[in-house]
Every structure is written in C-alpha cells, then in structure tokens.
Amino acid sequence: MAPNVDDYNREITYLRVSVIDRCNLRCIYCQPVKNLKLLHHADILTYEEILRVVEAATQMGISKVRVTGGEPLIRRNLLNFLFRLCRMPGLNEVSITTNGVLLKQKAKAIFDAGVRRLNVSLDTLNPLKYAKITGRPCFEDVWGGLEAAEAIGFSPIKLNVVAMRGVNDNEFRRFAELSVRKPYHVRFIEYMPVGLDSQWKPEKYISSDEIKCKLESFGALHKIPRSPCDGPAERYRFESARGEIGFISALSHHFCPSCNRLRLLSDGKLRPCLFSDEEVDIKTALRSGCSQEDIKALFHEAISRKPERHHAEMLQKGAELLHPMSAIGG
Ligand code: SAM
C-alpha cells in the first residue's frame, strides 16, 4: 500500500498548515470569549521547521498545501515562506485562507510569491454586522482586499461564509447575487461545533440542504460536475453567473469517506481529524535532531490514526475540543 493511503483506502494528498494561532479578528463562532490561551513565540514552529515537515510530506504523497492560521497574514516574513513553499518540489498547489483584513496591502506580494488560489472568509456583506461578528470594523478593508485580489489575477477566489441562523440567513440572496456579478466562489459552510468554549447552538445551525432550498427560490442552480481535485464542496452555478455557489456540509452530509487531509498546527501537532483531539507531536522530534525519515514515520503515524469517520455528534452534545478553531485553522 502507498505510504499515504490510510486504513480506509483514502489517499492523503492535502496538508493544511496553520502558521500562527493568533488572529486580528475575534469572530464569535471561532475564538473563545474568555480563557483564550495563546502559544509562546518559541512554541510556534519556525518557517524552517514547517518547510522540513512539508518537504517530508511531499515525499509521502502530499501535493497540495493550504496556509491558514489564526490569521496567516499577520505572521512576520510570511512572503519569503510562501515563496519557498511555492517552489517546493512535489507540491502542485499552494493556497491561502485569510480573513482578508490585510489583503489589500499584501495581495500583490502574495501573488508574486507564487500563490494563485485564495480563500477569504466573509460572513456578511453588511459593514455593521461584520463588526458585530468579528469584533472589528474592517468590512471595507476586506472588500478592498477582494477587489485588489481580483484585479491582480488570483483564481479562484473563494468566499467562505459560515451560515448562522439569525445572523446571516437573511443575506443568502445578496451572496447569491454576488456569485452572479463577480467571479467569486461563494461557499456556504455549515456552522460546526468546533473549539474550546464553542458558542455553537443547534438553533443557530442551518443545513446545506436548507440553504440550497432558499437559494433555489432565487433561480435555478446548475450542478457543476465534480473533478478529482475537488475538495468537499458540492458546486453549483446560477444561470450566466461569473462565479459559483458551493456547500460544505461537514455535519449534514459528512464527507469523511473522501477526506484526503491532515492538519499541521502551529504548535507542531499533526491532527488527523478536525473533530478529534487525537494528535501526533512533530515538534519534539524536530527539536531533538530527527531525520527526514523520522518525520515521514510520524506523518505515516498520523495517517494511520485517521478515524473512519468524525464524531462531531459528541461535540453537538456539548463535548469540547482542546483547541479553538482559530488555532486549528479550519
Ligand atoms: N483567519 C483565517 C480566516 O479567517 O480565513 C484562517 C483561519 S479560520 C479559523 C479558517 C476558516 O474557519 C474560516 O473560513 C472560518 O470562517 C472557519 N470557521 C471558524 N470557526 C468555524 C465554525 N465554528 N464553523 C465553521 N467554520 C468555522
């Protein structure tokens, strides 16, 4: 069996790398209101360490990396790291997930470093509501960042919209219209009960089926056939739209059978499943003089510990994960 195939015959080709646990926003659904424990600087993997892990990962069959956070754009010297990552042999896709607050000023340099694919998190198109959700009045910055990214030539630009009843469910039409007007892939993400002190409540959750039903009352949605490199999103398009609509249904249609990913956290833990605290420590090995073969062995261990399916139902019933989503990186 290939080294990146797990016990359930899933080929692991995708690594999410959280480069920092800090964020410049305080989204209500992402970070705990109190008791937010942040890592000491010395406990965060250095870029050299991350690049060593990614290099070993590519030799194990990883071909796609997404850089995330916390907020990746607030980490110093990110551009040099991205430049090196984009030139790593074996990687054929590097993308970045950002809240977009600093995008306007950094988009050109990120593009020049070699990144082409961008995910921007934006849960509302209303500046006042944006400030309420995120704790910061930065809507215009994010919008300016999106327009700059579009003008520079990023493609695709995906908008991550966490759907929350009573928060942004009255804006689905505006997001639908946005996907027609702009070349953005608007992706509705089911609100997940992830994190320490998670604010998740069943009454705030909206399933993808319900969102899709609402969108279909605005116009016919045409399904886009899946391609082998597609992630978990189900993709659709409105008639004559420049962009797309996607649904990421972690809770209602769990996509575990096709899960192809591992997560590397900024504290040097490899996480086999978003919804479980099971982790493999790589940092201790890295800082004790391990070889690339040792890193590959740890990587293999993380792959072999991937559960057949997630158990988010435990979290829906009130169990908590050790880390907030802001540290895991989505
Ligand atoms: N700071 C970056 C950003 O805002 O995109 C990267 C980190 S953020 C944790 C990554 C993604 O996770 C964002 O799109 C965010 O909306 C999503 N996210 C955070 N908490 C979530 C939750 N409870 N349910 C669903 N998605 C969540």
Side-chain angles (χ1 to χ4, degrees):
M1 196 155 54
N4 63 333
V5 174
D6 76 0
D7 293 350
Y8 307 99
N9 222 21
R10 295 172 298 203
E11 197 187 358
I12 312 306
T13 54
Y14 178 21
L15 181 66
R16 287 189 168 212
V17 177
S18 170
V19 293
I20 189 165
D21 63 333
R22 288 167 167 71
C23 189
N24 46 355
L25 296 180
R26 295 285 174 272
C27 298
I28 44 176
Y29 54 83
C30 187
Q31 277 197 359
V33 183
K34 44 188 182 251
N35 299 330
L36 176 64
K37 291 193 195 82
L38 293 171
L39 293 169
H40 290 295
H41 188 68
D43 290 325
I44 294 179
L45 288 187
T46 64
Y47 288 135
E48 288 303 327
E49 288 170 332
I50 298 174
L51 289 165
R52 269 195 77 186
V53 177
V54 176
E55 186 188 32
T58 58
Q59 291 162 8
M60 296 285 291
I62 293 289
S63 55
K64 180 173 162 186
V65 164
R66 171 173 299 284
V67 176
T68 177
E71 171 48 37
L73 302 198
I74 65 173
R75 183 158 174 184
R76 264 196 246 158
N77 297 327
L78 182 78
L79 295 169
N80 183 35
F81 166 72
L82 291 176
F83 184 91
R84 293 175 64 190
L85 193 62
C86 288
R87 282 148 193 82
M88 173 88 64
L91 273 192
N92 51 33
E93 193 181 306
V94 175
S95 54
I96 189 160
T97 298
T98 171
N99 59 33
V101 172
L102 299 175
L103 190 57
K104 191 171 177 183
Q105 65 227 61
K106 302 205 175 193
K108 174 80 169 64
I110 294 172
F111 191 87
D112 289 345
V115 179
R116 297 290 178 269
R117 305 173 71 92
L118 198 63
N119 282 30
V120 178
S121 304
L122 187 64
D123 305 315
T124 175
L125 298 171
N126 174 327
L128 289 178
K129 198 191 285 181
Y130 183 91
K132 276 196 186 156
I133 295 175
T134 66
R136 304 281 186 271
C138 297
F139 176 82
E140 299 301 340
D141 298 316
V142 181
W143 192 256
L146 273 172
E147 300 227 293
E150 186 186 334
I152 287 164
F154 281 92
S155 178
I157 297 175
K158 299 182 182 174
L159 285 196
N160 287 355
V161 182
V162 179
M164 292 168 281
R165 197 181 306 282
V167 177
N168 58 2
D169 52 338
N170 58 350
E171 292 190 68
F172 293 166
R173 184 177 205 124
R174 289 189 74 192
F175 277 113
E177 285 163 0
L178 186 67
S179 83
V180 174
R181 204 161 31 91
K182 290 281 203 180
Y184 303 155
H185 297 196
V186 174
R187 291 138 43 98
F188 292 99
I189 302 178
E190 286 184 347
Y191 185 11
M192 297 182 251
V194 174
L196 189 70
D197 191 21
S198 157
Q199 305 289 307
W200 190 89
K201 292 193 180 59
E203 55 275 20
K204 286 204 183 146
Y205 164 80
I206 316 178
S207 71
S208 293
D209 288 348
E210 187 180 333
I211 305 168
K212 183 163 170 273
C213 226
K214 280 201 177 171
L215 296 184
E216 280 170 333
S217 68
F218 311 140
L221 273 175
H222 303 287
K223 193 159 173 56
I224 300 174
R226 289 188 74 76
S227 82
C229 340
D230 275 351
E234 291 289 330
R235 298 166 59 194
Y236 296 84
R237 176 176 279 133
F238 284 107
E239 199 68 45
S240 318
R242 295 180 70 203
E244 293 183 11
I245 294 288
F247 300 100
I248 302 186
S249 322
L251 295 186
S252 62
H253 302 280
H254 71 89
F255 33 72
C256 304
S258 59
C259 180
N260 62 352
R261 62 191 60 182
L262 286 178
R263 292 175 167 80
L264 176 66
L265 271 55
S266 57
D267 65 357
K269 304 283 187 344
L270 260 183
R271 223 176 149 88
C273 171
L274 172 64
F275 294 101
S276 158
D277 278 329
E278 178 101 41
E279 291 176 338
V280 173
D281 176 16
I282 292 216
K283 187 174 69 188
T284 306
L286 280 169
R287 295 190 179 177
S288 329
C290 73
S291 66
Q292 285 304 91
E293 288 308 311
D294 296 330
I295 302 176
K296 286 195 221 170
L298 289 169
F299 213 82
H300 190 255
E301 188 184 332
I303 290 174
S304 68
R305 288 215 226 154
K306 273 184 80 63
E308 184 173 14
R309 54 154 298 183
H310 71 61
H311 292 285
E313 63 278 5
M314 306 297 291
L315 306 172
Q316 286 170 265
K317 288 181 193 150
E320 288 209 322
L321 293 178
L322 280 176
H323 302 285
M325 188 71 126
S326 56
I328 303 172

